[in-house]
Amino acid sequence: MDLIVKRANANSLKTQCAVVFALDNTLQSSAQLIDKEANGTLSHILESKALKNKAGSHCWVHLAPNKKRAYEHVLLVSLGQAEKKSKSSISSKDYISSIQSGLKALKGSHIKNAAVYLDQVNLSDTDNSPSTIAQLFATEAKRVDYKYATTKASDKDSSKLEKLTLVVDDAKQVNDAKKGLKLGQALGNGINTTRELGNLPGNICTPEYLANQAKKLATSSTKLTTKVLTEKQIEKLGMGAFLSVAKGSAQDGKLIIMEYRGGAKTAKPNVIVGKGITFDTGGISLKPGPAMDEMKFDMCGAASVMGVMTALVELQASVNVVAIIAAAENMPSGRASKPGDVVTSMSGQTIEILNTDAEGRLVLCDALTYAERYKPKSVVDIATLTGACVVALGNHATGLFSNDQALADKLLASGEKMHDRAWQMPLWDEYQKQLDSNFADMANIGGPQAGSVTAACFLSRFTKKYPWAHLDIAGTAWVQGGAKGATGRPVALLLDYLLNA
Ligand code: BES
Ligand code: MN
Ligand code: ZN
């Protein structure tokens, strides 16, 4: 689907379908113009209560051909009730769900070419610039445009929608709207990159596959370079923890490093580190069978890192960001780690592996030590790290842990703003002793209590040299059930943070 911005009057645009809005049962300005052309059909729909006053309700109107206008179809979308505090405002959350349902209706129709009129809406929790509105539209359009089809040919996208024009009525707004469109589109493409990588099965999306995707991305921008370290090189670096996971698999583990330099040469980079376990069987501490297929999503941290880098490249953003992906497959085998094994991490600290299923922290701790060489401004790791985080926060919030409150606050704010929220969890010293081991500097598990906290405590022992935050996305990276699939979270949070850090 192509997205463009145009200035036009509601009735003059050459389009098959006009998408317009009603707020609190009142037609927005473009809808009023179209209503006039259509002899009051839209007002009649509102009067007759055929359109519910609920965000996302919508109604198709098919008009008889008329030489005065190109469109014969109108999609009237309800923005729902105005907020009590101000008569004409709605939350951006309601606005987004209205847009989403309108776009889904368009995608499900025979329409090839539609125009959406971006009337002045009053969003209560964000600025109402054409840029913000166009950004929201573009991201949602991209989101609706994605459908997994790589290994399911019979289900290839059957939608006809080729072109969506965002229409503003004031020439002064065009450039602003174009800016928003560009950002929203890049974010949407980043989110979809993350979803596609997450959804790909473990036999396709291997560590090597991830490495090749990272190399491919680098060929599309002179600002980006990709380096891939093999298991042999990982061993040479002394990454005994990483290796203890990778060695159980026939797939070679990879440390993937992407350096994006768009900012000042001297500016320190912000680093993002993704957990890239392309399949997590649990290893010798084998997971139970039911729903084990979902452990193909155990590389969603890495996928979100790829999504963010894709967006930065598309934007040619003026920032310095280094991305590190720790990619490996966690398998049981004759070469796999066993409970009780002790390994030495790149930091020199020794680790007793009491459970081979706590593998994420083992690959991440060495990647986090590797990050030190960049003297980073900040390091954020993203990982489907613990089932305990899902127990604590469910599917709505990403778990956030940090050794630096200013960094935590920035990430929390980006999450709020982008509707991709995180919730801060404690990283108190009191929890650290749960990691005590009789045979090494630490154990890799901390017992049944506060599992997401002790996992973060483990990582904190490798991140003392820089401001660091850990995002546990075990509950937010994918959805289960009928709509099983990767969500693309937390790309929106991360991109907003990195563009403004
Ligand atoms: N990848 C899993 C975490 C996970 C489990 C995410 C279920 C989403 C849903 C991770 O590697 C893991 O297995 N963690 C263990 C840690 C435990 C052994 C201390 C867990 O959460 O059970
Ligand atoms: Mn595991
Ligand atoms: Zn895992």
Side-chain angles (χ1 to χ4, degrees):
M1 185 201 308
D2 286 336
L3 285 161
I4 57 167
V5 168
K6 256 203 180 137
R7 193 212 74 83
N9 168 279
N11 283 304
S12 68
L13 200 73
K14 301 258 171 301
T15 185
Q16 225 183 335
C17 174
V19 183
V20 291
F21 297 92
L23 172 61
D24 233 353
N25 275 330
T26 308
L27 296 174
Q28 298 276 91
S29 51
S30 302
Q32 286 177 21
L33 292 176
I34 283 172
D35 189 41
K36 263 192 203 146
E37 254 331 294
N39 299 323
T41 310
L42 302 187
S43 333
H44 180 68
I45 287 173
L46 294 185
E47 281 154 26
S48 66
K49 304 257 182 309
L51 183 74
K52 275 196 209 132
N53 189 13
K54 191 172 167 250
S57 301
H58 56 267
C59 198
W60 283 102
V61 183
H62 305 286
L63 301 168
N66 180 329
K67 287 209 176 93
K68 281 200 248 162
R69 48 167 165 77
Y71 61 86
E72 284 176 19
H73 308 276
V74 179
L75 180 61
L76 177 61
V77 183
S78 172
L79 297 173
Q81 291 180 15
E83 286 178 328
K84 289 202 183 80
K85 39 189 173 175
S86 142
K87 268 209 165 148
S88 60
S89 77
I90 53 166
S91 68
S92 53
K93 196 170 158 237
D94 275 358
Y95 189 61
I96 290 169
S97 71
S98 305
I99 301 176
Q100 258 177 12
S101 104
L103 288 165
K104 275 188 194 148
L106 271 182
K107 282 285 288 183
S109 75
H110 66 287
I111 304 284
K112 279 188 188 161
N113 176 331
V116 184
Y117 293 87
L118 302 186
D119 292 308
Q120 207 69 55
V121 278
N122 231 339
L123 302 180
S124 54
D125 51 355
T126 175
D127 73 70
N128 295 299
S129 61
S131 152
T132 301
I133 306 286
Q135 183 191 325
L136 292 178
F137 252 102
T139 303
E140 294 317 311
K142 283 287 161 191
R143 221 194 272 278
V144 170
D145 209 24
Y146 172 78
K147 189 164 188 203
Y148 180 78
T150 309
T151 50
K152 202 182 175 198
S154 62
D155 220 24
K156 286 264 193 286
D157 195 344
S158 61
S159 171
K160 305 268 182 299
L161 192 61
E162 287 166 4
K163 185 167 139 190
L164 186 67
T165 307
L166 306 184
V167 187
V168 294
D169 58 5
D170 182 345
K172 280 182 249 155
Q173 299 179 337
V174 171
N175 280 339
D176 201 20
K178 279 186 178 165
K179 248 184 247 162
L181 178 97
K182 190 176 169 206
L183 178 55
Q185 197 160 268
L187 172 57
N189 285 332
I191 286 172
N192 289 345
T193 298
T194 300
R195 290 162 79 189
E196 176 68 9
L197 288 172
N199 289 337
L200 283 172
N203 60 332
I204 294 178
C205 187
T206 58
E208 191 178 5
Y209 184 90
L210 286 175
N212 288 339
Q213 292 304 111
K215 282 184 196 160
K216 206 166 125 195
L217 185 61
T219 62
S220 66
S221 170
T222 52
K223 294 186 169 71
L224 185 71
T225 52
T226 293
K227 188 165 69 181
V228 176
L229 304 185
T230 61
E231 230 166 88
K232 259 203 189 122
Q233 293 166 299
I234 289 164
E235 189 171 4
K236 272 204 194 115
L237 283 167
M239 295 186 164
F242 189 132
L243 203 68
S244 76
V245 179
K247 70 176 187 178
S249 167
Q251 300 288 339
D252 198 48
K254 309 278 186 202
L255 190 76
I256 305 163
I257 302 130
M258 287 175 274
E259 299 184 16
Y260 180 88
R261 305 218 171 260
K265 271 212 172 99
T266 51
K268 290 178 181 173
N270 289 299
V271 177
I272 50 178
V273 180
K275 170 177 172 182
I277 297 297
T278 58
F279 196 84
D280 181 12
T281 64
I284 296 298
S285 313
L286 193 63
K287 283 185 181 294
M292 206 210 273
D293 66 289
E294 291 182 20
M295 282 300 114
K296 73 173 184 179
F297 294 117
D298 212 18
M299 36 57 73
C300 280
S304 71
V305 163
M306 289 291 298
V308 168
M309 298 314 275
T310 304
L312 291 179
V313 165
E314 183 172 330
L315 291 168
Q316 289 293 295
S318 308
V319 295
N320 293 337
V321 175
V322 174
I324 304 173
I325 289 173
E329 194 181 56
N330 188 23
M331 294 289 276
S333 80
R335 286 152 48 95
S337 295
K338 307 168 293 298
D341 284 2
V342 174
V343 296
T344 304
S345 66
M346 187 183 181
S347 73
Q349 300 175 91
T350 57
I351 303 162
E352 185 186 14
I353 302 174
L354 288 176
N355 190 319
T356 65
D357 197 10
E359 84 298 339
R361 60 200 81 182
L362 294 173
V363 298
L364 285 172
C365 71
D366 282 338
L368 288 164
T369 300
Y370 188 86
E372 284 174 8
R373 68 186 57 204
Y374 294 101
K375 302 196 168 35
K377 209 163 131 193
S378 76
V379 177
V380 179
D381 76 72
I382 308 99
T384 48
L385 203 63
T386 64
C389 191
V390 192
V391 174
L393 297 173
N395 305 118
H396 304 294
T398 291
L400 171 90
F401 304 80
S402 181
N403 64 11
D404 184 289
Q405 196 53 41
L407 172 60
D409 288 341
K410 280 188 198 165
L411 292 164
L412 291 168
S414 287
E416 284 288 341
K417 178 177 159 198
M418 304 305 285
H419 303 283
D420 186 3
R421 290 192 288 184
W423 188 257
Q424 191 170 4
M425 303 275 283
L427 193 66
W428 299 334
D429 280 345
E430 284 85 340
Y431 291 99
Q432 290 282 356
K433 65 172 181 303
Q434 288 179 235
L435 295 172
D436 286 353
S437 157
N438 285 352
F439 305 105
D441 296 334
M442 70 194 87
N444 78 328
I445 55 170
Q449 294 184 332
S452 68
V453 183
T454 51
C457 284
F458 180 95
L459 297 177
S460 76
R461 296 173 178 220
F462 301 85
T463 60
K464 295 202 190 308
K465 300 206 170 127
Y466 43 70
W468 158 76
H470 158 59
L471 296 172
D472 193 331
I473 58 168
T476 52
W478 74 93
V479 289
Q480 300 172 304
K484 193 194 286 180
T487 60
R489 289 181 71 180
V491 173
L493 180 161
L494 289 168
L495 186 64
D496 185 72
Y497 163 69
L498 291 168
L499 291 178
N500 301 301

PDB file of all heavy atoms in Angstrom, residues 401-428:
ATOM      1  N   PHE A 401      13.521  -2.714  34.097  1.00  0.00           N
ATOM      2  CA  PHE A 401      14.453  -2.728  35.227  1.00  0.00           C
ATOM      3  C   PHE A 401      15.614  -1.831  34.846  1.00  0.00           C
ATOM      4  O   PHE A 401      16.069  -1.869  33.707  1.00  0.00           O
ATOM      5  CB  PHE A 401      14.989  -4.144  35.478  1.00  0.00           C
ATOM      6  CG  PHE A 401      13.922  -5.185  35.713  1.00  0.00           C
ATOM      7  CD1 PHE A 401      13.235  -5.740  34.654  1.00  0.00           C
ATOM      8  CD2 PHE A 401      13.610  -5.604  37.003  1.00  0.00           C
ATOM      9  CE1 PHE A 401      12.241  -6.696  34.874  1.00  0.00           C
ATOM     10  CE2 PHE A 401      12.629  -6.560  37.227  1.00  0.00           C
ATOM     11  CZ  PHE A 401      11.952  -7.108  36.165  1.00  0.00           C
ATOM     12  N   SER A 402      16.116  -1.038  35.795  1.00  0.00           N
ATOM     13  CA  SER A 402      17.216  -0.156  35.420  1.00  0.00           C
ATOM     14  C   SER A 402      18.105   0.197  36.605  1.00  0.00           C
ATOM     15  O   SER A 402      17.644   0.244  37.743  1.00  0.00           O
ATOM     16  CB  SER A 402      16.659   1.126  34.789  1.00  0.00           C
ATOM     17  OG  SER A 402      17.718   1.962  34.399  1.00  0.00           O
ATOM     18  N   ASN A 403      19.375   0.449  36.301  1.00  0.00           N
ATOM     19  CA  ASN A 403      20.290   0.922  37.342  1.00  0.00           C
ATOM     20  C   ASN A 403      20.429   2.442  37.289  1.00  0.00           C
ATOM     21  O   ASN A 403      21.299   3.019  37.925  1.00  0.00           O
ATOM     22  CB  ASN A 403      21.671   0.243  37.206  1.00  0.00           C
ATOM     23  CG  ASN A 403      22.378   0.602  35.898  1.00  0.00           C
ATOM     24  OD1 ASN A 403      21.962   1.503  35.168  1.00  0.00           O
ATOM     25  ND2 ASN A 403      23.468  -0.112  35.602  1.00  0.00           N
ATOM     26  N   ASP A 404      19.573   3.102  36.497  1.00  0.00           N
ATOM     27  CA  ASP A 404      19.685   4.548  36.302  1.00  0.00           C
ATOM     28  C   ASP A 404      18.275   5.122  36.132  1.00  0.00           C
ATOM     29  O   ASP A 404      17.609   4.858  35.129  1.00  0.00           O
ATOM     30  CB  ASP A 404      20.531   4.797  35.043  1.00  0.00           C
ATOM     31  CG  ASP A 404      20.786   6.273  34.793  1.00  0.00           C
ATOM     32  OD1 ASP A 404      19.840   6.991  34.408  1.00  0.00           O
ATOM     33  OD2 ASP A 404      21.939   6.708  34.979  1.00  0.00           O
ATOM     34  N   GLN A 405      17.819   5.872  37.144  1.00  0.00           N
ATOM     35  CA  GLN A 405      16.415   6.296  37.131  1.00  0.00           C
ATOM     36  C   GLN A 405      16.106   7.272  35.994  1.00  0.00           C
ATOM     37  O   GLN A 405      15.002   7.257  35.446  1.00  0.00           O
ATOM     38  CB  GLN A 405      16.007   6.894  38.486  1.00  0.00           C
ATOM     39  CG  GLN A 405      14.490   7.005  38.674  1.00  0.00           C
ATOM     40  CD  GLN A 405      13.747   5.681  38.428  1.00  0.00           C
ATOM     41  OE1 GLN A 405      14.200   4.608  38.831  1.00  0.00           O
ATOM     42  NE2 GLN A 405      12.608   5.746  37.728  1.00  0.00           N
ATOM     43  N   ALA A 406      17.093   8.102  35.612  1.00  0.00           N
ATOM     44  CA  ALA A 406      16.835   9.047  34.517  1.00  0.00           C
ATOM     45  C   ALA A 406      16.561   8.283  33.229  1.00  0.00           C
ATOM     46  O   ALA A 406      15.655   8.631  32.451  1.00  0.00           O
ATOM     47  CB  ALA A 406      18.023   9.984  34.341  1.00  0.00           C
ATOM     48  N   LEU A 407      17.331   7.216  32.999  1.00  0.00           N
ATOM     49  CA  LEU A 407      17.118   6.380  31.814  1.00  0.00           C
ATOM     50  C   LEU A 407      15.761   5.674  31.892  1.00  0.00           C
ATOM     51  O   LEU A 407      15.002   5.652  30.911  1.00  0.00           O
ATOM     52  CB  LEU A 407      18.256   5.351  31.705  1.00  0.00           C
ATOM     53  CG  LEU A 407      18.114   4.262  30.638  1.00  0.00           C
ATOM     54  CD1 LEU A 407      18.007   4.873  29.239  1.00  0.00           C
ATOM     55  CD2 LEU A 407      19.298   3.279  30.707  1.00  0.00           C
ATOM     56  N   ALA A 408      15.447   5.132  33.065  1.00  0.00           N
ATOM     57  CA  ALA A 408      14.158   4.453  33.239  1.00  0.00           C
ATOM     58  C   ALA A 408      13.010   5.408  32.930  1.00  0.00           C
ATOM     59  O   ALA A 408      12.059   5.041  32.217  1.00  0.00           O
ATOM     60  CB  ALA A 408      14.031   3.915  34.664  1.00  0.00           C
ATOM     61  N   ASP A 409      13.112   6.643  33.442  1.00  0.00           N
ATOM     62  CA  ASP A 409      12.040   7.624  33.221  1.00  0.00           C
ATOM     63  C   ASP A 409      11.856   7.926  31.737  1.00  0.00           C
ATOM     64  O   ASP A 409      10.730   8.058  31.253  1.00  0.00           O
ATOM     65  CB  ASP A 409      12.327   8.911  33.999  1.00  0.00           C
ATOM     66  CG  ASP A 409      12.142   8.713  35.507  1.00  0.00           C
ATOM     67  OD1 ASP A 409      11.464   7.736  35.908  1.00  0.00           O
ATOM     68  OD2 ASP A 409      12.685   9.523  36.292  1.00  0.00           O
ATOM     69  N   LYS A 410      12.968   8.036  31.014  1.00  0.00           N
ATOM     70  CA  LYS A 410      12.870   8.310  29.568  1.00  0.00           C
ATOM     71  C   LYS A 410      12.159   7.166  28.855  1.00  0.00           C
ATOM     72  O   LYS A 410      11.317   7.378  27.984  1.00  0.00           O
ATOM     73  CB  LYS A 410      14.263   8.461  28.959  1.00  0.00           C
ATOM     74  CG  LYS A 410      14.878   9.835  29.185  1.00  0.00           C
ATOM     75  CD  LYS A 410      16.168   9.951  28.381  1.00  0.00           C
ATOM     76  CE  LYS A 410      17.005  11.091  28.928  1.00  0.00           C
ATOM     77  NZ  LYS A 410      18.386  11.044  28.452  1.00  0.00           N
ATOM     78  N   LEU A 411      12.523   5.943  29.203  1.00  0.00           N
ATOM     79  CA  LEU A 411      11.909   4.785  28.537  1.00  0.00           C
ATOM     80  C   LEU A 411      10.425   4.683  28.878  1.00  0.00           C
ATOM     81  O   LEU A 411       9.591   4.397  28.009  1.00  0.00           O
ATOM     82  CB  LEU A 411      12.651   3.506  28.928  1.00  0.00           C
ATOM     83  CG  LEU A 411      14.081   3.399  28.375  1.00  0.00           C
ATOM     84  CD1 LEU A 411      14.857   2.321  29.109  1.00  0.00           C
ATOM     85  CD2 LEU A 411      14.072   3.127  26.868  1.00  0.00           C
ATOM     86  N   LEU A 412      10.106   4.934  30.149  1.00  0.00           N
ATOM     87  CA  LEU A 412       8.692   4.891  30.557  1.00  0.00           C
ATOM     88  C   LEU A 412       7.888   5.941  29.786  1.00  0.00           C
ATOM     89  O   LEU A 412       6.777   5.667  29.309  1.00  0.00           O
ATOM     90  CB  LEU A 412       8.560   5.135  32.070  1.00  0.00           C
ATOM     91  CG  LEU A 412       9.082   4.015  32.977  1.00  0.00           C
ATOM     92  CD1 LEU A 412       9.164   4.487  34.426  1.00  0.00           C
ATOM     93  CD2 LEU A 412       8.194   2.769  32.876  1.00  0.00           C
ATOM     94  N   ALA A 413       8.479   7.141  29.639  1.00  0.00           N
ATOM     95  CA  ALA A 413       7.783   8.228  28.933  1.00  0.00           C
ATOM     96  C   ALA A 413       7.580   7.878  27.462  1.00  0.00           C
ATOM     97  O   ALA A 413       6.504   8.113  26.898  1.00  0.00           O
ATOM     98  CB  ALA A 413       8.567   9.529  29.079  1.00  0.00           C
ATOM     99  N   SER A 414       8.611   7.294  26.823  1.00  0.00           N
ATOM    100  CA  SER A 414       8.463   6.889  25.423  1.00  0.00           C
ATOM    101  C   SER A 414       7.365   5.838  25.284  1.00  0.00           C
ATOM    102  O   SER A 414       6.589   5.861  24.331  1.00  0.00           O
ATOM    103  CB  SER A 414       9.780   6.312  24.885  1.00  0.00           C
ATOM    104  OG  SER A 414      10.712   7.349  24.698  1.00  0.00           O
ATOM    105  N   GLY A 415       7.298   4.924  26.234  1.00  0.00           N
ATOM    106  CA  GLY A 415       6.274   3.883  26.201  1.00  0.00           C
ATOM    107  C   GLY A 415       4.868   4.472  26.302  1.00  0.00           C
ATOM    108  O   GLY A 415       3.967   4.076  25.565  1.00  0.00           O
ATOM    109  N   GLU A 416       4.690   5.431  27.207  1.00  0.00           N
ATOM    110  CA  GLU A 416       3.385   6.103  27.357  1.00  0.00           C
ATOM    111  C   GLU A 416       3.003   6.796  26.056  1.00  0.00           C
ATOM    112  O   GLU A 416       1.899   6.636  25.539  1.00  0.00           O
ATOM    113  CB  GLU A 416       3.449   7.163  28.469  1.00  0.00           C
ATOM    114  CG  GLU A 416       3.427   6.622  29.877  1.00  0.00           C
ATOM    115  CD  GLU A 416       2.059   6.080  30.297  1.00  0.00           C
ATOM    116  OE1 GLU A 416       1.044   6.415  29.671  1.00  0.00           O
ATOM    117  OE2 GLU A 416       2.037   5.295  31.264  1.00  0.00           O
ATOM    118  N   LYS A 417       3.941   7.592  25.561  1.00  0.00           N
ATOM    119  CA  LYS A 417       3.680   8.409  24.376  1.00  0.00           C
ATOM    120  C   LYS A 417       3.314   7.548  23.169  1.00  0.00           C
ATOM    121  O   LYS A 417       2.424   7.896  22.401  1.00  0.00           O
ATOM    122  CB  LYS A 417       4.936   9.230  24.077  1.00  0.00           C
ATOM    123  CG  LYS A 417       4.854  10.097  22.839  1.00  0.00           C
ATOM    124  CD  LYS A 417       6.130  10.913  22.693  1.00  0.00           C
ATOM    125  CE  LYS A 417       6.321  11.383  21.265  1.00  0.00           C
ATOM    126  NZ  LYS A 417       7.710  11.788  21.008  1.00  0.00           N
ATOM    127  N   MET A 418       4.004   6.424  23.027  1.00  0.00           N
ATOM    128  CA  MET A 418       3.823   5.594  21.828  1.00  0.00           C
ATOM    129  C   MET A 418       2.799   4.473  22.034  1.00  0.00           C
ATOM    130  O   MET A 418       2.656   3.594  21.186  1.00  0.00           O
ATOM    131  CB  MET A 418       5.165   4.981  21.409  1.00  0.00           C
ATOM    132  CG  MET A 418       6.270   5.995  21.166  1.00  0.00           C
ATOM    133  SD  MET A 418       5.853   7.261  19.967  1.00  0.00           S
ATOM    134  CE  MET A 418       5.975   6.321  18.440  1.00  0.00           C
ATOM    135  N   HIS A 419       2.104   4.475  23.158  1.00  0.00           N
ATOM    136  CA  HIS A 419       1.138   3.413  23.463  1.00  0.00           C
ATOM    137  C   HIS A 419       1.796   2.038  23.418  1.00  0.00           C
ATOM    138  O   HIS A 419       1.250   1.072  22.866  1.00  0.00           O
ATOM    139  CB  HIS A 419      -0.054   3.469  22.496  1.00  0.00           C
ATOM    140  CG  HIS A 419      -0.744   4.789  22.518  1.00  0.00           C
ATOM    141  ND1 HIS A 419      -1.600   5.154  23.524  1.00  0.00           N
ATOM    142  CD2 HIS A 419      -0.643   5.857  21.699  1.00  0.00           C
ATOM    143  CE1 HIS A 419      -2.025   6.386  23.309  1.00  0.00           C
ATOM    144  NE2 HIS A 419      -1.449   6.847  22.202  1.00  0.00           N
ATOM    145  N   ASP A 420       2.976   1.976  23.953  1.00  0.00           N
ATOM    146  CA  ASP A 420       3.763   0.744  23.971  1.00  0.00           C
ATOM    147  C   ASP A 420       4.405   0.713  25.367  1.00  0.00           C
ATOM    148  O   ASP A 420       5.604   0.857  25.529  1.00  0.00           O
ATOM    149  CB  ASP A 420       4.825   0.838  22.856  1.00  0.00           C
ATOM    150  CG  ASP A 420       5.622  -0.444  22.685  1.00  0.00           C
ATOM    151  OD1 ASP A 420       5.337  -1.434  23.384  1.00  0.00           O
ATOM    152  OD2 ASP A 420       6.540  -0.440  21.842  1.00  0.00           O
ATOM    153  N   ARG A 421       3.527   0.540  26.361  1.00  0.00           N
ATOM    154  CA  ARG A 421       3.936   0.875  27.718  1.00  0.00           C
ATOM    155  C   ARG A 421       4.805  -0.163  28.424  1.00  0.00           C
ATOM    156  O   ARG A 421       4.686  -1.369  28.201  1.00  0.00           O
ATOM    157  CB  ARG A 421       2.709   1.138  28.578  1.00  0.00           C
ATOM    158  CG  ARG A 421       2.024   2.419  28.186  1.00  0.00           C
ATOM    159  CD  ARG A 421       1.004   2.835  29.184  1.00  0.00           C
ATOM    160  NE  ARG A 421      -0.177   1.983  29.144  1.00  0.00           N
ATOM    161  CZ  ARG A 421      -1.251   2.204  29.881  1.00  0.00           C
ATOM    162  NH1 ARG A 421      -1.275   3.204  30.734  1.00  0.00           N
ATOM    163  NH2 ARG A 421      -2.294   1.404  29.789  1.00  0.00           N
ATOM    164  N   ALA A 422       5.647   0.349  29.318  1.00  0.00           N
ATOM    165  CA  ALA A 422       6.459  -0.483  30.211  1.00  0.00           C
ATOM    166  C   ALA A 422       6.121  -0.101  31.643  1.00  0.00           C
ATOM    167  O   ALA A 422       5.574   0.981  31.896  1.00  0.00           O
ATOM    168  CB  ALA A 422       7.940  -0.257  29.926  1.00  0.00           C
ATOM    169  N   TRP A 423       6.428  -1.002  32.558  1.00  0.00           N
ATOM    170  CA  TRP A 423       6.166  -0.756  33.978  1.00  0.00           C
ATOM    171  C   TRP A 423       7.423  -1.109  34.746  1.00  0.00           C
ATOM    172  O   TRP A 423       7.976  -2.198  34.561  1.00  0.00           O
ATOM    173  CB  TRP A 423       4.985  -1.612  34.448  1.00  0.00           C
ATOM    174  CG  TRP A 423       4.541  -1.275  35.835  1.00  0.00           C
ATOM    175  CD1 TRP A 423       4.804  -1.983  36.970  1.00  0.00           C
ATOM    176  CD2 TRP A 423       3.765  -0.139  36.233  1.00  0.00           C
ATOM    177  NE1 TRP A 423       4.231  -1.349  38.048  1.00  0.00           N
ATOM    178  CE2 TRP A 423       3.589  -0.219  37.634  1.00  0.00           C
ATOM    179  CE3 TRP A 423       3.207   0.951  35.539  1.00  0.00           C
ATOM    180  CZ2 TRP A 423       2.870   0.747  38.350  1.00  0.00           C
ATOM    181  CZ3 TRP A 423       2.496   1.899  36.255  1.00  0.00           C
ATOM    182  CH2 TRP A 423       2.328   1.789  37.644  1.00  0.00           C
ATOM    183  N   GLN A 424       7.852  -0.180  35.594  1.00  0.00           N
ATOM    184  CA  GLN A 424       9.127  -0.406  36.287  1.00  0.00           C
ATOM    185  C   GLN A 424       8.981  -1.396  37.440  1.00  0.00           C
ATOM    186  O   GLN A 424       8.041  -1.327  38.227  1.00  0.00           O
ATOM    187  CB  GLN A 424       9.700   0.909  36.804  1.00  0.00           C
ATOM    188  CG  GLN A 424      11.140   0.747  37.279  1.00  0.00           C
ATOM    189  CD  GLN A 424      11.812   2.079  37.563  1.00  0.00           C
ATOM    190  OE1 GLN A 424      11.184   3.134  37.484  1.00  0.00           O
ATOM    191  NE2 GLN A 424      13.083   2.016  37.895  1.00  0.00           N
ATOM    192  N   MET A 425       9.937  -2.285  37.516  1.00  0.00           N
ATOM    193  CA  MET A 425       9.994  -3.313  38.554  1.00  0.00           C
ATOM    194  C   MET A 425      11.245  -3.062  39.403  1.00  0.00           C
ATOM    195  O   MET A 425      12.183  -2.406  38.967  1.00  0.00           O
ATOM    196  CB  MET A 425      10.091  -4.696  37.905  1.00  0.00           C
ATOM    197  CG  MET A 425       8.950  -5.012  36.947  1.00  0.00           C
ATOM    198  SD  MET A 425       7.509  -5.670  37.779  1.00  0.00           S
ATOM    199  CE  MET A 425       8.051  -7.349  38.061  1.00  0.00           C
ATOM    200  N   PRO A 426      11.280  -3.593  40.637  1.00  0.00           N
ATOM    201  CA  PRO A 426      12.431  -3.302  41.508  1.00  0.00           C
ATOM    202  C   PRO A 426      13.686  -4.075  41.112  1.00  0.00           C
ATOM    203  O   PRO A 426      13.599  -5.178  40.569  1.00  0.00           O
ATOM    204  CB  PRO A 426      11.938  -3.750  42.889  1.00  0.00           C
ATOM    205  CG  PRO A 426      10.915  -4.791  42.614  1.00  0.00           C
ATOM    206  CD  PRO A 426      10.272  -4.424  41.309  1.00  0.00           C
ATOM    207  N   LEU A 427      14.796  -3.449  41.406  1.00  0.00           N
ATOM    208  CA  LEU A 427      16.097  -4.088  41.164  1.00  0.00           C
ATOM    209  C   LEU A 427      16.907  -3.905  42.450  1.00  0.00           C
ATOM    210  O   LEU A 427      18.023  -3.424  42.440  1.00  0.00           O
ATOM    211  CB  LEU A 427      16.770  -3.388  39.964  1.00  0.00           C
ATOM    212  CG  LEU A 427      17.985  -4.024  39.320  1.00  0.00           C
ATOM    213  CD1 LEU A 427      17.638  -5.342  38.662  1.00  0.00           C
ATOM    214  CD2 LEU A 427      18.578  -3.084  38.265  1.00  0.00           C
ATOM    215  N   TRP A 428      16.279  -4.250  43.569  1.00  0.00           N
ATOM    216  CA  TRP A 428      16.881  -3.972  44.861  1.00  0.00           C
ATOM    217  C   TRP A 428      17.945  -5.013  45.225  1.00  0.00           C
ATOM    218  O   TRP A 428      17.827  -6.196  44.880  1.00  0.00           O
ATOM    219  CB  TRP A 428      15.794  -3.962  45.957  1.00  0.00           C
ATOM    220  CG  TRP A 428      14.749  -2.916  45.744  1.00  0.00           C
ATOM    221  CD1 TRP A 428      14.882  -1.743  45.076  1.00  0.00           C
ATOM    222  CD2 TRP A 428      13.382  -2.977  46.206  1.00  0.00           C
ATOM    223  NE1 TRP A 428      13.690  -1.053  45.096  1.00  0.00           N
ATOM    224  CE2 TRP A 428      12.759  -1.772  45.779  1.00  0.00           C
ATOM    225  CE3 TRP A 428      12.634  -3.903  46.936  1.00  0.00           C
ATOM    226  CZ2 TRP A 428      11.421  -1.496  46.064  1.00  0.00           C
ATOM    227  CZ3 TRP A 428      11.305  -3.614  47.220  1.00  0.00           C
ATOM    228  CH2 TRP A 428      10.711  -2.419  46.792  1.00  0.00           C
TER     229      TRP A 428
END
